[in-house]
Amino acid sequence: LLMLMPVNSWAISNTYTFNNTGDNWNVIHGAWNFGFDGALTGKWSDDGRRFDGISGSFVSGSRTINVNSGWLKSNGKGKLNIDFKRGNKTYWGSVKFKDKGWFGGQYDNYVSHTELKLWGGANLQCKKGNGRSCGSKWVGLDLYGPKVVEVPEPATFALMGLGLLGLGFTRLKKNS
């Protein structure tokens, strides 16, 4: 019984990384063309069809994109709630991703357990540093990146250790 507890508690981090070198890239555009480095983290549903509870951040110089929440289906449909800081302006809203055929089938969006490839966009709201509105701006977000190796959370190792310790005590008690 003690050994089953840690095995059932495997909590895996699902993280996709992005940079602007090689085949891993991400770009925000809409009169701007910036490349960012960063990561998205979330959890896959038990049936493997939905990547949920997404958060993360991307950085390019003094520009930052924070992903506050979001979800994606394996067919690439979904949304990420972001805020994008550029200078003294902050843009925020939900970047939406459509399913396959976003650009007439030329680029199909998808999310798998090994990588994600998404093209999407939104009309984001803008506020200046002084709190005044500065309208809105269309922003596109292109993401393509691999998933990094899955690493169990520290709590999983602690539970596994407790399970092994319990087995050791049981064996000691049986032998005495």
Side-chain angles (χ1 to χ4, degrees), residues 8 21 35 40 47 49-50 64 72 74 94 96 102 109 113 123 136 140 143 148 156-157 159 165 168 171 175:
N8 289 335
T21 59
L40 289 178
D47 63 7
R49 293 183 181 171
R50 187 173 162 120
T64 304
L72 298 165
S74 57
S94 297
K96 294 178 177 74
W102 175 255
N109 285 337
H113 288 276
N123 210 11
S136 63
L143 300 170
V148 296
T156 301
F157 286 121
L159 285 172
L165 192 61
R171 187 175 189 143
N175 288 341

Side-chain angles (χ1 to χ4, degrees), residues 3 24 39 63 75 83 87 99 127 130 132 164:
M3 196 58 180
N24 311 337
R63 300 172 205 95
N75 67 0
D83 61 70
D99 57 2
K127 261 193 190 166
N130 60 11
R132 289 189 167 168
L164 291 172

Side-chain angles (χ1 to χ4, degrees), residues 77-170:
K77 186 177 182 178
K79 73 176 184 174
L80 298 177
N81 300 312
I82 70 165
D83 61 70
F84 168 44
K85 292 179 176 41
R86 180 174 186 242
N88 72 340
K89 296 178 182 177
T90 300
Y91 300 85
W92 77 94
S94 297
V95 175
K96 294 178 177 74
F97 302 95
K98 293 185 178 183
D99 57 2
K100 295 179 182 261
W102 175 255
F103 291 110
Q106 183 180 1
Y107 301 110
D108 288 340
N109 285 337
Y110 69 88
V111 182
S112 74
H113 288 276
T114 57
E115 67 181 351
L116 61 78
K117 184 164 49 170
L118 300 167
W119 289 268
N123 210 11
L124 301 181
Q125 299 304 308
C126 174
K127 261 193 190 166
K128 292 182 181 177
N130 60 11
R132 289 189 167 168
S133 174
C134 47
S136 63
K137 181 152 191 70
W138 171 262
V139 173
L141 186 60
D142 303 342
L143 300 170
Y144 172 63
K147 186 168 89 169
V148 296
V149 177
E150 296 178 344
V151 178
E153 294 178 2
T156 301
F157 286 121
L159 285 172
M160 214 161 107
L162 284 172
L164 291 172
L165 192 61
L167 283 176
F169 280 128
T170 304

